Amino acid sequence: MPMPRFAIYVRTEDGTIWRHHEIAHQLPGFLDHPYVHEEALVGWPEAKVLWAEETGPTMGLAPVD
């Protein structure tokens, strides 16, 4: 079974979203926090991102198909 892959996203205080340039295959430390706040992505390679926090600055994981 292939390992899931995720793109790492960041949302800043002012709402700007940026995508980290690497794809994560293992996420040590990232899964300590539930990523449950789903948001659709438009204009990005991934269709959705799961944020750690609903609002404000946070990290997000986007499943890579």
Side-chain angles (χ1 to χ4, degrees), residues 20-37:
H20 194 278
H21 65 280
E22 293 184 23
I23 299 296
H25 297 274
Q26 296 180 344
L27 300 167
F30 281 98
L31 298 181
D32 293 341
H33 196 297
Y35 290 79
V36 296
H37 306 285

Side-chain angles (χ1 to χ4, degrees), residues 43-65:
W44 296 93
E46 292 74 36
K48 68 179 178 182
V49 61
L50 302 170
W51 296 114
E53 302 293 338
E54 188 172 10
T55 61
T58 191
M59 299 285 292
L61 300 175
V64 175
D65 295 330

